[in-house]
Amino acid sequence: MNPTRVTWAMIRRYPATTAIFIAVIAIAVALGIGISAQERALRQGSTAAADRFDLLVAAPGNPTEIVFNTVFLRPSAVQLMDPEIVSKALTDPRVEYAAPIGYGDNVQGLQVVGTIAQFVDRLSNGLGDGRMFEAAGEAVVGASVPFKIGDKLVPLHGSSAFADEEDGEDEHEGHHHYELTVVGHMKPTGNPWDRAVVVPIETLWNAHGLPNGHAEGDAKIGPPFDPARVPGLPAIVIKGQTVADMYGLRGEYKTPQSMAFFPAEVLLQIYDLLGNIRQVMSIMASVTQVLAFLAIFAGVVALMKLFETQFAVIRALGASRTYLFLSIWLFASAIVVTGVVLGVALGYAVAAYASNLLQRMSGVALTAAIGPDEVQLAVFGGVAGIVLATVPAALLYRRPVAAYLR
């Protein structure tokens, strides 16, 4: 006799109950899969976003804040570096380039970031179309910015589109309104700079009434800068001539007046925190899976009582206890396997949706995928469920046929 026929008959007899059992397991599995896949997507996306920011030099403070300000374009009020430190870094002979980073204005909520053309070229690996800015009134926009080449932009002071309205002022202390012309589009970078309006650093210095790094009246932009006419800066991105130079520069600018660090150093600390959270959440997800399995199997035992008359007839016709055991075990295992498979698909869908949502919010390119960790988690859940499926089968296996007949 084929036990799968009895299993299929039970599924057809109670399809709604079976579907509920499968859904509970799928949700429990999806929780663990989604957490694992999303954590890895965040790790990979943030690493890729910071890849072109070789060495960051800033005033003493919180390195994490500087990374969020500079790499992820989440500006906050930070201390500016002393102009002497800035001029020294910008003119250091060991650097391939030293890119000053300035911010504080926005266009329709998009950050206006000041830097040099060489850093934009490295960040974007060349432009997608148009040309690089060549004057203080020109701008290159990120790949996700909707502005077209030739558009005229009027930035507002502050990091949001409502900064001026909130303050109730059209002008801020030391800030002058200015106009920008879009001359180029960057290629996609996979980081928040895809949603930035990038201008020569001199543009922001001029707008805030600061020395612009060049002689009075000189309209030149970019390096070399006049050390005597360089103002303070939130941060500088430095790329050394060699790896040895990079470590030497990091050590030299770790002083009471400045700090220097690789963004990866900060990201590792964030990853440690994410890893701890992921571990806790994964344990909770695993416990949830086990509890879901136990609840389902308790329901299976209760459901099987509805089939006692049928089981009695089957046993009276000569079916063995093993046949009955296999029929019930296959029913419970089918629920587990189907729930796990659907859980993997649901977990991936949830992670992909979360990644897409976070990408729109942060600008960091996130790609959720099912990897070895998720496969291992699903296999563990499936195997554990199949093993636990022997419990309701064994309980009914041990009952004598006379008990069914009564």
Side-chain angles (χ1 to χ4, degrees):
M1 298 177 67
N2 185 359
T4 58
R5 293 184 177 181
V6 176
T7 300
W8 180 239
M10 288 189 287
I11 294 174
R12 286 185 301 173
R13 179 66 178 83
Y14 293 102
T17 303
T18 303
I20 292 173
F21 289 166
I22 291 173
V24 171
I25 292 177
I27 293 172
V29 172
L31 178 62
I33 296 293
I35 291 171
S36 179
Q38 184 57 51
E39 188 270 344
R40 188 175 60 256
L42 284 171
R43 185 187 300 261
Q44 294 174 344
S46 57
T47 298
D51 184 56
R52 302 297 175 92
F53 295 78
D54 301 274
L55 177 68
L56 286 176
V57 178
N62 186 344
T64 302
E65 187 174 24
I66 297 301
V67 168
F68 275 93
N69 288 344
T70 306
V71 178
F72 300 106
L73 296 185
R74 298 288 179 178
S76 61
V78 296
Q79 182 180 349
L80 300 181
M81 279 185 291
D82 189 279
E84 292 185 6
I85 301 294
V86 174
S87 63
K88 179 182 176 182
L90 294 181
T91 57
D92 197 306
R94 293 168 295 175
V95 306
E96 181 177 323
Y97 67 76
I101 304 295
Y103 37 76
D105 293 348
N106 78 89
V107 176
Q108 298 179 23
L110 302 172
Q111 297 300 321
V112 176
V113 187
T115 187
I116 59 175
Q118 191 173 2
F119 180 63
V120 176
D121 186 69
R122 170 169 167 75
L123 190 65
S124 177
N125 195 26
L127 296 183
D129 58 19
R131 61 173 176 82
M132 188 62 67
F133 47 68
E134 297 174 354
E138 296 179 343
V140 170
V141 298
S144 300
V145 174
F147 303 136
K148 300 177 181 178
I149 293 178
D151 284 353
K152 303 294 184 179
L153 313 176
V154 179
L156 301 176
H157 184 70
S159 60
S160 75
F162 307 102
D164 283 325
E165 298 177 14
E166 291 171 354
D167 291 341
E169 301 177 4
D170 290 331
E171 301 235 356
H172 292 257
E173 183 179 355
H175 183 270
H176 309 284
H177 285 297
Y178 56 100
E179 185 178 82
L180 298 171
T181 301
V182 178
V183 297
H185 282 99
M186 298 167 62
K187 294 178 182 177
T189 65
N191 67 37
W193 287 63
D194 284 340
R195 302 190 303 188
V197 176
V198 188
V199 300
I201 186 64
E202 291 87 351
T203 302
L204 295 184
W205 285 340
N206 291 335
H208 292 82
L210 301 171
N212 67 2
H214 305 287
E216 187 74 31
D218 190 350
K220 179 182 180 297
I221 65 168
F225 295 101
D226 182 352
R229 290 188 52 79
V230 174
L233 279 171
I236 299 176
V237 179
I238 292 179
K239 178 175 174 55
Q241 299 283 356
T242 65
V243 174
D245 287 338
M246 294 288 288
Y247 281 93
L249 289 164
R250 183 183 67 163
E252 181 167 338
Y253 287 98
K254 278 188 174 181
T255 69
Q257 292 77 37
S258 64
M259 63 179 179
F261 58 91
F262 299 118
E265 296 174 319
V266 174
L267 293 178
L268 284 175
Q269 297 176 6
I270 297 175
Y271 296 158
D272 285 341
L273 176 60
L274 287 176
N276 292 336
I277 295 174
R278 176 193 177 188
Q279 186 177 15
V280 172
M281 295 298 290
S282 295
I283 292 173
M284 292 175 61
S286 297
V287 172
T288 301
Q289 288 183 32
V290 173
L291 293 176
F293 291 150
L294 293 176
I296 295 304
F297 298 145
V300 169
V301 172
L303 185 62
M304 291 304 101
K305 289 185 175 295
L306 301 177
F307 290 96
E308 286 186 343
T309 302
Q310 290 88 336
F311 291 153
V313 172
I314 293 172
R315 290 291 304 279
L317 291 174
S320 66
R321 287 186 175 185
T322 302
Y323 178 85
L324 184 61
F325 174 88
L326 289 175
S327 298
I328 299 171
W329 178 79
L330 286 174
F331 175 72
S333 296
I335 292 174
V336 169
V337 172
T338 305
V340 169
V341 171
L342 291 178
V344 171
L346 179 61
Y348 169 74
V350 170
Y353 175 79
S355 293
N356 186 49
L357 182 63
L358 290 173
Q359 181 172 330
R360 291 201 303 268
M361 294 172 58
S362 68
V364 178
L366 300 176
T367 303
I370 300 299
D373 290 345
E374 290 73 44
V375 173
Q376 182 179 0
L377 182 63
V379 170
F380 167 79
V383 171
I386 290 173
V387 171
L388 289 174
T390 61
V391 175
L395 290 175
L396 296 170
Y397 168 85
R398 297 177 59 187
R399 296 191 67 183
V401 67
Y404 289 119
L405 294 176
R406 286 196 300 268

